[in-house]
Amino acid sequence: MGRMAGKVALVTGAASGLGEATARAFAREGAQVLLTDISDEGAAVAKAIGPAARFARQDVTDEDRWADILAEVDTTWERLDVLVNNAGISMFGLVTDLSFEQWRRCLSVDLDSVFLGTRAAIPLMRRGGGGSIINISSMAGITGQMALSAYCAAKGGVRLFSKAVALECAAARDGIRVNSVHPGIIDTPIFAATTSNERRSPVGAEPIDPQATAALVTPMGRAGRPEDIANACVYLASDESAYLTGTEVIVDGGYCAA
Ligand code: NAD
């Protein structure tokens, strides 16, 4: 408790899954949190968290909306210490089956949004003397994944974008740290959606079960919990990680070790 006392955080995609768990963990650790999401279900999550949390509807691909959101943070708290660029979608399909529209949609939600959010947040963080930008990538940003080429391209882009901006901030001596987090298979709606919408392996006809898949491909033999990612985000958001920038935190039950 209290590891983020006095900090103000913005978490995108916070109506569900990893974003929701991260917002809850931040509030538990003493932060004030603005949850945003394209889904209004984020309002109920913020209400359940309590007075430390607020909700604003946001499509993270909308450039103008980012300015509104940062203005709301400035008006409410006059500072921003932590940004978690978490909102994301998966895009399943063999490259030969992907439409250009699907490709662009995935790159827009999963990569363009990280650029827009980072660029929008830096001035307010600089005014407060620093901050921590946490970009949620994936194990698909470290290793290639079958039938996830657009998602891999976006998440790999998030990883190197984070490093490049970390260097810019370090050179500016602005106190802003930028890191990426790489979840493995975590039990949330995004993973269930990938495997239930496309309940067929691209190389075979067998249905795929999320937990069974995690048991097969993850060295630890199970899927992770949203809290496993939230805990990594608390560390990166707090001053405990003061000397970490430009690096990646892989939380995947050992998947990328193989
Ligand atoms: P999720 O589907 O539970 O949550 C994603 C949230 O993002 C949803 O609330 C959704 O409404 C929101 N969202 C989608 N498009 C948006 C948009 N345009 N603007 C604003 N919000 C939008 O999924 P999750 O597992 O919690 O995923 C969170 C992040 O973690 C994503 O970036 C995802 O790629 C990444 N990730 C998840 C896993 C996993 O196994 N769950 C693994 C690796 C990476």
Side-chain angles (χ1 to χ4, degrees):
M1 299 282 276
R3 292 160 71 198
M4 292 177 64
K7 292 193 188 293
V8 173
L10 166 55
V11 181
T12 70
S16 166
L18 308 186
E20 175 181 350
T22 299
R24 285 181 186 279
F26 283 3
R28 190 190 64 225
E29 294 297 340
Q32 303 286 311
V33 191
L34 179 64
L35 295 81
T36 76
D37 204 289
I38 201 167
S39 159
D40 286 332
E41 285 176 28
V45 176
K47 196 170 171 211
I49 291 174
R54 297 167 65 103
F55 171 74
R57 191 168 197 282
Q58 179 191 23
D59 178 344
V60 289
T61 68
D62 181 339
E63 181 177 6
D64 294 339
R65 187 67 183 135
W66 271 106
D68 300 341
I69 294 293
L70 267 294
E72 180 169 339
V73 172
D74 194 4
T75 305
T76 310
W77 293 292
E78 297 180 344
R79 61 183 298 119
L80 179 65
D81 302 285
V82 181
L83 167 65
V84 185
N85 282 310
N86 165 77
I89 56 169
S90 64
M91 191 60 71
F92 191 84
L94 296 176
V95 67
T96 44
D97 295 335
L98 279 186
S99 68
F100 192 29
E101 194 186 342
Q102 286 175 307
W103 166 271
R104 280 196 294 218
R105 178 76 191 143
C106 184
L107 271 286
S108 174
V109 178
D110 291 350
L111 181 58
D112 293 356
S113 66
V114 177
F115 159 70
L116 292 172
T118 300
R119 191 186 60 173
I122 285 176
L124 187 54
M125 284 186 171
R126 281 187 173 154
R127 228 179 62 199
S132 173
I133 298 175
I134 303 167
N135 294 326
I136 305 299
S137 176
S138 169
M139 65 188 193
I142 305 279
T143 64
Q145 300 290 324
M146 184 74 186
L148 283 170
S149 58
Y151 187 74
C152 285
K155 294 299 189 179
V158 168
R159 174 175 172 268
L160 282 179
F161 171 78
S162 303
K163 291 182 190 297
V165 180
L167 295 178
E168 290 183 22
C169 291
R173 301 287 190 270
D174 61 11
I176 299 175
R177 301 179 293 106
V178 189
N179 295 289
S180 55
V181 172
H182 300 259
I185 297 174
I186 314 294
D187 202 350
T188 70
I190 208 175
F191 184 69
T194 304
T195 51
S196 60
N197 291 343
E198 310 284 344
R199 268 194 170 270
R200 302 220 166 263
S201 158
V203 289
E206 292 307 308
I208 303 169
D209 174 74
Q211 286 294 349
T213 304
L216 278 178
V217 304
T218 303
M220 288 182 75
R222 61 173 175 81
R225 300 166 303 126
E227 292 73 23
D228 294 321
I229 305 306
N231 290 338
C233 290
V234 168
Y235 173 64
L236 289 174
S238 77
D239 297 337
E240 295 160 21
S241 58
Y243 200 49
L244 262 80
T245 197
T247 195
E248 61 244 347
V249 177
I250 301 174
V251 188
D252 69 347
Y255 183 91
C256 292

